[in-house]
Structures are given as structure tokens and as C-alpha cells.
Amino acid sequence: MSNTTAMSLSGKNVVVIGGTSGIGLATAIAASELGANVWAAGRSAAHIEKARATVGSRVTIMSADTHDSASLQAVFKEAGVIHHLVSAATGGSRTMKPFVEQTDEQFQAAFGKLWGYSNVVRTGVPFLAQDGSITLVSGAPARKLKANASALSCVGAAVENLVRCLAIELAPIRVNVVSPGIIDTALFDGLGDKRDAAVAGMVKGQLIERVGRPEEVASALIYLMNNGYATGTTVDVDGGQLLR
Ligand SMILES: NC(=O)c1ccc[n+]([C@@H]2O[C@H](COP(=O)([O-])OP(=O)(O)OC[C@H]3O[C@@H](n4cnc5c(N)ncnc54)[C@H](OP(=O)(O)O)[C@@H]3O)[C@@H](O)[C@H]2O)c1
């Protein structure tokens, strides 16, 4: 029997930018558990230290910013040939309020995520194996439209369209995107005491009425690394939020 669909990353080099927390860190751990050599990077010393304490020697944790090509290149050079490149970095700040009440600066700041991902791809492609993959992370607001979330929706949709454009231009390198719903990560830590109640409100009425786990999104990212016939696709891991 062919083993081409078996879940193994043995001997593969996997780089996760935005890999020091949440979805990216869960992906780095899952890839290392499947036998990959893994490098994961983020900006803050706090996340880097916490990630190192979590993964030990299983994953090489480095410092990099999606907006700083030199720091990305330093990570990519460590890996040498990259088989699977993931960017799960947040990369920009989001303003949640009516579009007409946002300044240009606030609206544009959300696109830091797109420019960061663009930079990761442009800097990373020279290091990628021709049978390798790139996977980005968008978010349910890309296609689930709500009031006060225009910045989030526009950036998410742009990320998903960029992925389809890149899948055409970079073939046979495969390019895909995972779109998470509400996932229990540090993304919501800024809500402080209100965090749990706010997150519970966000998932109310979903088909799967609970917050998702970073590992559940990581498994979609791993699937897209492993499946050599998947390209230009979006995988939703959102508890059915799109059908709410
Ligand atoms: N959690 C959710 O409910 C949810 C929903 C939809 C979409 N998403 C998307 O999923 C992705 C992962 O988010 P998460 O929930 O896992 O959040 P998280 O736990 O905050 O992790 C984000 C990671 O990205 C890193 N990062 C942020 N900006 C970066 C930059 N400019 N350069 C390099 N690394 C950077 C962070 O470390 P440093 O801050 O230290 O750099 C951290 O390692 C994001 O794109 C987010 O928009 C999340």
C-alpha cells in the first residue's frame, strides 16, 4: 500500500513564523511530534522564553519579525532547505469599530498582517523545496461579515486571495490557508478579566458551541503540509461559525 497520504513529516524542515504562541506554537509542536525538524519564531522575549520552556529541545525557537526581512532570513538560513513554511503571525493591530469612525491609520494598521505575510513569502520562497508548501492563517471574519469588523474582514479576505494568487504563481510549491474561528490563545489576553465572558459570547450560537483549541487548528495546518495534492485551498476550522 502506498504511504503517500500517511501523516509523517519525518526528515522534513518546517518553519513556523508566529510560532511562539497559540496556533503557531501548537503547529510547531505537532510537526515535531510527526518527526520534522522545526524552527519557530516570534518577536517578544516573553513569548520566546515561554515557548522555549514548553518545547525544550524539540523545536528551535528564534526571534523574527514578519516586517523585518533580515530577521526572517536568519531563521530560514538555519533551516537551509524549507519543506513547509507556515506564517501564523498576527502582524498588525485591529480596530473593532464602525468603519466611518475609524481613522485611515487605524484601518490601515490591520493590513500589517498582510504585509507581514507578503514579506514572509517573498523572503522564504528562495529557501523552499519545489515539492514544499506555504500555509498562511486568515480568520473566519474573511467570509463571516459583521458590523464593526471591516478591518478584520478585509485583511482576512486579502490573505485568502493572496494565497490563491500565489498557488498559481508558485506551483508546484503548494500554497494554502487555514481560517480559524474563535480559538483559545493569547490573542484575547488583552481583554483581562472580561476574557472568558467575552469569548463565550463570541461562540454563542455556533454549531459547535465552544471555543476552539490551538491544536485543532494546528491539525489543519499539518494536513495541508502533508497532502501533496492540496493547493490554493482554504480550510475552515471554526466550529461552524460560517453557518451561524
Ligand atoms: N485566536 C483566534 O481566535 C483567531 C481567530 C482568527 C484568526 N486568528 C489568527 O491566527 C493567527 C495566530 O494567532 P493566535 O490566536 O495563535 O495568537 P497568539 O497566541 O497571539 O500568537 C501569535 C503569534 O504570532 C507572533 N507574532 C505576532 N506578530 C508578529 C510579527 N510581526 N512577526 C513575528 N511574529 C509575530 C506572536 O509572538 P510575538 O507577539 O511575541 O511576536 C505569537 O507567536 C493570527 O494570524 C490570528 O490573526 C486567530
Side-chain angles (χ1 to χ4, degrees), residues 17-24 41-44 47 64-67 88-91 94 113 117 137-141 180-188:
I17 305 299
T20 57
S21 173
I23 292 166
R43 296 164 305 175
S44 73
H47 276 149
D65 186 333
T66 57
H67 303 289
T90 321
R94 299 92 47 88
K113 176 169 176 170
Y117 281 5
V137 178
S138 58
I182 303 300
I183 310 298
D184 191 8
T185 71
L187 199 71
F188 300 109

